PDB file of all heavy atoms in Angstrom:
ATOM      1  N   ASP A   2      15.274   8.078   6.910  1.00  0.00           N
ATOM      2  CA  ASP A   2      14.184   7.867   5.990  1.00  0.00           C
ATOM      3  C   ASP A   2      14.500   7.061   4.738  1.00  0.00           C
ATOM      4  O   ASP A   2      13.730   6.904   3.842  1.00  0.00           O
ATOM      5  CB  ASP A   2      13.611   9.246   5.538  1.00  0.00           C
ATOM      6  CG  ASP A   2      12.890   9.933   6.679  1.00  0.00           C
ATOM      7  OD1 ASP A   2      12.394   9.264   7.559  1.00  0.00           O
ATOM      8  OD2 ASP A   2      12.886  11.171   6.709  1.00  0.00           O
ATOM      9  N   ALA A   3      15.763   6.543   4.680  1.00  0.00           N
ATOM     10  CA  ALA A   3      16.259   5.901   3.545  1.00  0.00           C
ATOM     11  C   ALA A   3      15.756   4.463   3.374  1.00  0.00           C
ATOM     12  O   ALA A   3      15.589   4.024   2.260  1.00  0.00           O
ATOM     13  CB  ALA A   3      17.801   5.939   3.534  1.00  0.00           C
ATOM     14  N   LEU A   4      15.463   3.759   4.466  1.00  0.00           N
ATOM     15  CA  LEU A   4      15.041   2.386   4.398  1.00  0.00           C
ATOM     16  C   LEU A   4      15.982   1.519   3.569  1.00  0.00           C
ATOM     17  O   LEU A   4      15.570   0.741   2.741  1.00  0.00           O
ATOM     18  CB  LEU A   4      13.587   2.271   4.033  1.00  0.00           C
ATOM     19  CG  LEU A   4      12.603   2.919   4.932  1.00  0.00           C
ATOM     20  CD1 LEU A   4      11.219   2.614   4.454  1.00  0.00           C
ATOM     21  CD2 LEU A   4      12.730   2.666   6.435  1.00  0.00           C
ATOM     22  N   THR A   5      17.280   1.750   3.752  1.00  0.00           N
ATOM     23  CA  THR A   5      18.292   0.986   3.018  1.00  0.00           C
ATOM     24  C   THR A   5      18.432  -0.483   3.534  1.00  0.00           C
ATOM     25  O   THR A   5      18.256  -0.665   4.769  1.00  0.00           O
ATOM     26  CB  THR A   5      19.642   1.677   3.228  1.00  0.00           C
ATOM     27  OG1 THR A   5      19.542   3.054   2.838  1.00  0.00           O
ATOM     28  CG2 THR A   5      20.735   0.940   2.405  1.00  0.00           C
ATOM     29  N   ILE A   6      18.524  -1.395   2.558  1.00  0.00           N
ATOM     30  CA  ILE A   6      18.628  -2.806   2.934  1.00  0.00           C
ATOM     31  C   ILE A   6      20.117  -2.995   3.343  1.00  0.00           C
ATOM     32  O   ILE A   6      21.042  -2.631   2.685  1.00  0.00           O
ATOM     33  CB  ILE A   6      18.352  -3.746   1.754  1.00  0.00           C
ATOM     34  CG1 ILE A   6      16.959  -3.426   1.209  1.00  0.00           C
ATOM     35  CG2 ILE A   6      18.501  -5.173   2.192  1.00  0.00           C
ATOM     36  CD1 ILE A   6      15.800  -3.611   2.136  1.00  0.00           C
ATOM     37  N   THR A   7      20.316  -3.620   4.537  1.00  0.00           N
ATOM     38  CA  THR A   7      21.671  -3.785   5.108  1.00  0.00           C
ATOM     39  C   THR A   7      21.725  -5.167   5.744  1.00  0.00           C
ATOM     40  O   THR A   7      20.612  -5.791   5.950  1.00  0.00           O
ATOM     41  CB  THR A   7      22.034  -2.673   6.063  1.00  0.00           C
ATOM     42  OG1 THR A   7      23.377  -2.935   6.545  1.00  0.00           O
ATOM     43  CG2 THR A   7      21.083  -2.623   7.219  1.00  0.00           C
ATOM     44  N   ASN A   8      22.891  -5.608   6.108  1.00  0.00           N
ATOM     45  CA  ASN A   8      22.964  -6.926   6.908  1.00  0.00           C
ATOM     46  C   ASN A   8      23.378  -6.707   8.287  1.00  0.00           C
ATOM     47  O   ASN A   8      23.932  -7.612   8.983  1.00  0.00           O
ATOM     48  CB  ASN A   8      23.990  -7.793   6.150  1.00  0.00           C
ATOM     49  CG  ASN A   8      25.397  -7.270   6.101  1.00  0.00           C
ATOM     50  OD1 ASN A   8      25.601  -6.147   6.531  1.00  0.00           O
ATOM     51  ND2 ASN A   8      26.275  -7.996   5.574  1.00  0.00           N
ATOM     52  N   ALA A   9      23.062  -5.490   8.853  1.00  0.00           N
ATOM     53  CA  ALA A   9      23.359  -5.256  10.293  1.00  0.00           C
ATOM     54  C   ALA A   9      22.500  -6.217  11.125  1.00  0.00           C
ATOM     55  O   ALA A   9      21.292  -6.400  10.853  1.00  0.00           O
ATOM     56  CB  ALA A   9      23.091  -3.863  10.629  1.00  0.00           C
ATOM     57  N   PRO A  10      22.999  -6.791  12.196  1.00  0.00           N
ATOM     58  CA  PRO A  10      22.151  -7.677  13.050  1.00  0.00           C
ATOM     59  C   PRO A  10      21.160  -6.869  13.862  1.00  0.00           C
ATOM     60  O   PRO A  10      20.151  -7.559  14.329  1.00  0.00           O
ATOM     61  CB  PRO A  10      23.246  -8.270  14.005  1.00  0.00           C
ATOM     62  CG  PRO A  10      24.484  -7.539  13.877  1.00  0.00           C
ATOM     63  CD  PRO A  10      24.416  -6.763  12.600  1.00  0.00           C
ATOM     64  N   THR A  11      21.269  -5.574  14.022  1.00  0.00           N
ATOM     65  CA  THR A  11      20.230  -4.888  14.819  1.00  0.00           C
ATOM     66  C   THR A  11      19.736  -3.757  13.940  1.00  0.00           C
ATOM     67  O   THR A  11      20.554  -2.946  13.457  1.00  0.00           O
ATOM     68  CB  THR A  11      20.924  -4.260  16.074  1.00  0.00           C
ATOM     69  OG1 THR A  11      21.377  -5.373  16.951  1.00  0.00           O
ATOM     70  CG2 THR A  11      19.836  -3.623  16.964  1.00  0.00           C
ATOM     71  N   LEU A  12      18.481  -3.669  13.821  1.00  0.00           N
ATOM     72  CA  LEU A  12      17.915  -2.699  12.991  1.00  0.00           C
ATOM     73  C   LEU A  12      16.913  -1.806  13.723  1.00  0.00           C
ATOM     74  O   LEU A  12      16.132  -2.311  14.595  1.00  0.00           O
ATOM     75  CB  LEU A  12      17.136  -3.352  11.800  1.00  0.00           C
ATOM     76  CG  LEU A  12      16.266  -2.459  10.903  1.00  0.00           C
ATOM     77  CD1 LEU A  12      17.153  -1.628  10.063  1.00  0.00           C
ATOM     78  CD2 LEU A  12      15.363  -3.326   9.985  1.00  0.00           C
ATOM     79  N   LEU A  13      17.003  -0.443  13.538  1.00  0.00           N
ATOM     80  CA  LEU A  13      16.120   0.429  14.187  1.00  0.00           C
ATOM     81  C   LEU A  13      15.046   0.869  13.067  1.00  0.00           C
ATOM     82  O   LEU A  13      15.573   1.187  11.933  1.00  0.00           O
ATOM     83  CB  LEU A  13      16.740   1.688  14.739  1.00  0.00           C
ATOM     84  CG  LEU A  13      17.951   1.398  15.742  1.00  0.00           C
ATOM     85  CD1 LEU A  13      18.551   2.722  16.214  1.00  0.00           C
ATOM     86  CD2 LEU A  13      17.398   0.607  16.937  1.00  0.00           C
ATOM     87  N   VAL A  14      13.825   0.774  13.310  1.00  0.00           N
ATOM     88  CA  VAL A  14      12.855   1.096  12.222  1.00  0.00           C
ATOM     89  C   VAL A  14      11.941   2.194  12.745  1.00  0.00           C
ATOM     90  O   VAL A  14      11.617   2.284  13.984  1.00  0.00           O
ATOM     91  CB  VAL A  14      11.997  -0.150  11.802  1.00  0.00           C
ATOM     92  CG1 VAL A  14      12.882  -1.111  11.198  1.00  0.00           C
ATOM     93  CG2 VAL A  14      11.191  -0.713  12.925  1.00  0.00           C
ATOM     94  N   PRO A  15      11.446   3.085  11.837  1.00  0.00           N
ATOM     95  CA  PRO A  15      10.501   4.053  12.213  1.00  0.00           C
ATOM     96  C   PRO A  15       9.152   3.353  12.540  1.00  0.00           C
ATOM     97  O   PRO A  15       8.661   2.619  11.650  1.00  0.00           O
ATOM     98  CB  PRO A  15      10.379   4.904  11.093  1.00  0.00           C
ATOM     99  CG  PRO A  15      10.803   4.149   9.907  1.00  0.00           C
ATOM    100  CD  PRO A  15      11.866   3.117  10.450  1.00  0.00           C
ATOM    101  N   GLY A  16       8.651   3.563  13.734  1.00  0.00           N
ATOM    102  CA  GLY A  16       7.328   2.996  14.100  1.00  0.00           C
ATOM    103  C   GLY A  16       6.189   3.671  13.382  1.00  0.00           C
ATOM    104  O   GLY A  16       5.172   3.165  13.133  1.00  0.00           O
ATOM    105  N   GLN A  17       6.447   4.953  13.046  1.00  0.00           N
ATOM    106  CA  GLN A  17       5.496   5.792  12.367  1.00  0.00           C
ATOM    107  C   GLN A  17       6.266   6.818  11.566  1.00  0.00           C
ATOM    108  O   GLN A  17       7.327   7.322  12.054  1.00  0.00           O
ATOM    109  CB  GLN A  17       4.577   6.471  13.351  1.00  0.00           C
ATOM    110  CG  GLN A  17       3.489   7.394  12.802  1.00  0.00           C
ATOM    111  CD  GLN A  17       3.930   8.755  12.520  1.00  0.00           C
ATOM    112  OE1 GLN A  17       4.907   9.223  13.140  1.00  0.00           O
ATOM    113  NE2 GLN A  17       3.413   9.336  11.477  1.00  0.00           N
ATOM    114  N   ALA A  18       5.749   7.170  10.418  1.00  0.00           N
ATOM    115  CA  ALA A  18       6.325   8.274   9.589  1.00  0.00           C
ATOM    116  C   ALA A  18       5.219   8.714   8.636  1.00  0.00           C
ATOM    117  O   ALA A  18       4.398   7.878   8.271  1.00  0.00           O
ATOM    118  CB  ALA A  18       7.554   7.847   8.846  1.00  0.00           C
ATOM    119  N   PRO A  19       5.327   9.978   8.261  1.00  0.00           N
ATOM    120  CA  PRO A  19       4.233  10.469   7.294  1.00  0.00           C
ATOM    121  C   PRO A  19       4.056   9.697   6.023  1.00  0.00           C
ATOM    122  O   PRO A  19       2.977   9.525   5.510  1.00  0.00           O
ATOM    123  CB  PRO A  19       4.699  11.910   7.032  1.00  0.00           C
ATOM    124  CG  PRO A  19       5.556  12.337   8.181  1.00  0.00           C
ATOM    125  CD  PRO A  19       6.187  11.001   8.678  1.00  0.00           C
ATOM    126  N   CYS A  20       5.164   9.186   5.532  1.00  0.00           N
ATOM    127  CA  CYS A  20       5.044   8.461   4.168  1.00  0.00           C
ATOM    128  C   CYS A  20       5.284   6.895   4.394  1.00  0.00           C
ATOM    129  O   CYS A  20       5.702   6.187   3.454  1.00  0.00           O
ATOM    130  CB  CYS A  20       6.137   8.941   3.242  1.00  0.00           C
ATOM    131  SG  CYS A  20       5.932  10.663   2.867  1.00  0.00           S
ATOM    132  N   LEU A  21       5.006   6.457   5.578  1.00  0.00           N
ATOM    133  CA  LEU A  21       5.274   4.946   5.811  1.00  0.00           C
ATOM    134  C   LEU A  21       3.988   4.335   6.316  1.00  0.00           C
ATOM    135  O   LEU A  21       3.319   4.779   7.328  1.00  0.00           O
ATOM    136  CB  LEU A  21       6.336   4.758   6.953  1.00  0.00           C
ATOM    137  CG  LEU A  21       6.688   3.378   7.295  1.00  0.00           C
ATOM    138  CD1 LEU A  21       7.432   2.757   6.179  1.00  0.00           C
ATOM    139  CD2 LEU A  21       7.497   3.414   8.510  1.00  0.00           C
ATOM    140  N   ASN A  22       3.488   3.229   5.651  1.00  0.00           N
ATOM    141  CA  ASN A  22       2.308   2.466   6.166  1.00  0.00           C
ATOM    142  C   ASN A  22       2.835   1.153   6.646  1.00  0.00           C
ATOM    143  O   ASN A  22       3.931   0.818   6.607  1.00  0.00           O
ATOM    144  CB  ASN A  22       1.289   2.366   5.026  1.00  0.00           C
ATOM    145  CG  ASN A  22       1.826   1.609   3.834  1.00  0.00           C
ATOM    146  OD1 ASN A  22       2.666   0.649   3.969  1.00  0.00           O
ATOM    147  ND2 ASN A  22       1.424   2.005   2.631  1.00  0.00           N
ATOM    148  N   GLN A  23       1.853   0.303   7.245  1.00  0.00           N
ATOM    149  CA  GLN A  23       2.247  -0.858   7.855  1.00  0.00           C
ATOM    150  C   GLN A  23       2.747  -1.882   6.850  1.00  0.00           C
ATOM    151  O   GLN A  23       3.711  -2.593   7.182  1.00  0.00           O
ATOM    152  CB  GLN A  23       1.105  -1.469   8.632  1.00  0.00           C
ATOM    153  CG  GLN A  23       0.650  -0.686   9.835  1.00  0.00           C
ATOM    154  CD  GLN A  23      -0.528  -1.319  10.519  1.00  0.00           C
ATOM    155  OE1 GLN A  23      -1.222  -2.119   9.924  1.00  0.00           O
ATOM    156  NE2 GLN A  23      -0.746  -0.883  11.770  1.00  0.00           N
ATOM    157  N   ILE A  24       2.297  -1.906   5.612  1.00  0.00           N
ATOM    158  CA  ILE A  24       2.781  -2.843   4.638  1.00  0.00           C
ATOM    159  C   ILE A  24       4.226  -2.437   4.298  1.00  0.00           C
ATOM    160  O   ILE A  24       5.042  -3.348   4.195  1.00  0.00           O
ATOM    161  CB  ILE A  24       1.927  -2.807   3.402  1.00  0.00           C
ATOM    162  CG1 ILE A  24       0.460  -3.354   3.751  1.00  0.00           C
ATOM    163  CG2 ILE A  24       2.558  -3.515   2.225  1.00  0.00           C
ATOM    164  CD1 ILE A  24      -0.525  -3.162   2.610  1.00  0.00           C
ATOM    165  N   ALA A  25       4.544  -1.207   4.093  1.00  0.00           N
ATOM    166  CA  ALA A  25       5.890  -0.825   3.796  1.00  0.00           C
ATOM    167  C   ALA A  25       6.858  -1.116   4.967  1.00  0.00           C
ATOM    168  O   ALA A  25       8.026  -1.558   4.723  1.00  0.00           O
ATOM    169  CB  ALA A  25       5.983   0.694   3.488  1.00  0.00           C
ATOM    170  N   LEU A  26       6.378  -0.866   6.201  1.00  0.00           N
ATOM    171  CA  LEU A  26       7.192  -1.256   7.374  1.00  0.00           C
ATOM    172  C   LEU A  26       7.456  -2.734   7.426  1.00  0.00           C
ATOM    173  O   LEU A  26       8.652  -3.128   7.587  1.00  0.00           O
ATOM    174  CB  LEU A  26       6.436  -0.845   8.628  1.00  0.00           C
ATOM    175  CG  LEU A  26       7.103  -1.180   9.974  1.00  0.00           C
ATOM    176  CD1 LEU A  26       8.496  -0.597  10.087  1.00  0.00           C
ATOM    177  CD2 LEU A  26       6.201  -0.808  11.190  1.00  0.00           C
ATOM    178  N   LEU A  27       6.490  -3.576   7.253  1.00  0.00           N
ATOM    179  CA  LEU A  27       6.770  -5.008   7.259  1.00  0.00           C
ATOM    180  C   LEU A  27       7.529  -5.489   6.090  1.00  0.00           C
ATOM    181  O   LEU A  27       8.437  -6.277   6.227  1.00  0.00           O
ATOM    182  CB  LEU A  27       5.391  -5.789   7.326  1.00  0.00           C
ATOM    183  CG  LEU A  27       4.589  -5.686   8.537  1.00  0.00           C
ATOM    184  CD1 LEU A  27       3.259  -6.445   8.419  1.00  0.00           C
ATOM    185  CD2 LEU A  27       5.358  -6.182   9.708  1.00  0.00           C
ATOM    186  N   THR A  28       7.380  -4.950   5.003  1.00  0.00           N
ATOM    187  CA  THR A  28       8.180  -5.206   3.800  1.00  0.00           C
ATOM    188  C   THR A  28       9.685  -4.968   4.049  1.00  0.00           C
ATOM    189  O   THR A  28      10.563  -5.701   3.767  1.00  0.00           O
ATOM    190  CB  THR A  28       7.768  -4.463   2.538  1.00  0.00           C
ATOM    191  OG1 THR A  28       6.339  -4.810   2.282  1.00  0.00           O
ATOM    192  CG2 THR A  28       8.603  -4.771   1.361  1.00  0.00           C
ATOM    193  N   TYR A  29       9.935  -3.794   4.672  1.00  0.00           N
ATOM    194  CA  TYR A  29      11.335  -3.445   4.966  1.00  0.00           C
ATOM    195  C   TYR A  29      11.925  -4.358   6.060  1.00  0.00           C
ATOM    196  O   TYR A  29      13.030  -4.879   5.857  1.00  0.00           O
ATOM    197  CB  TYR A  29      11.380  -1.982   5.461  1.00  0.00           C
ATOM    198  CG  TYR A  29      12.780  -1.510   5.843  1.00  0.00           C
ATOM    199  CD1 TYR A  29      13.792  -1.594   4.926  1.00  0.00           C
ATOM    200  CD2 TYR A  29      13.068  -1.064   7.118  1.00  0.00           C
ATOM    201  CE1 TYR A  29      15.079  -1.111   5.254  1.00  0.00           C
ATOM    202  CE2 TYR A  29      14.348  -0.696   7.400  1.00  0.00           C
ATOM    203  CZ  TYR A  29      15.317  -0.725   6.506  1.00  0.00           C
ATOM    204  OH  TYR A  29      16.635  -0.280   6.824  1.00  0.00           O
ATOM    205  N   ILE A  30      11.129  -4.648   7.079  1.00  0.00           N
ATOM    206  CA  ILE A  30      11.608  -5.583   8.109  1.00  0.00           C
ATOM    207  C   ILE A  30      11.986  -6.869   7.536  1.00  0.00           C
ATOM    208  O   ILE A  30      12.998  -7.548   7.864  1.00  0.00           O
ATOM    209  CB  ILE A  30      10.617  -5.758   9.328  1.00  0.00           C
ATOM    210  CG1 ILE A  30      10.572  -4.376  10.147  1.00  0.00           C
ATOM    211  CG2 ILE A  30      10.914  -6.886  10.215  1.00  0.00           C
ATOM    212  CD1 ILE A  30       9.363  -4.326  11.173  1.00  0.00           C
TER     213      ILE A  30
END
């Protein structure tokens, strides 16, 4: 749930979470 910015070439993201909306998901990606 940290959504830490990293430089890993492969990222796993939550597709859904109670405190996550689509804008926050895209901003993180």
Side-chain angles (χ1 to χ4, degrees):
D2 291 330
L4 301 184
T5 303
I6 306 301
T7 182
N8 62 356
T11 304
L12 175 66
L13 306 178
V14 296
Q17 180 278 330
C20 298
L21 182 71
N22 60 37
Q23 291 181 343
I24 293 171
L26 174 61
L27 290 178
T28 299
Y29 180 58
I30 290 171

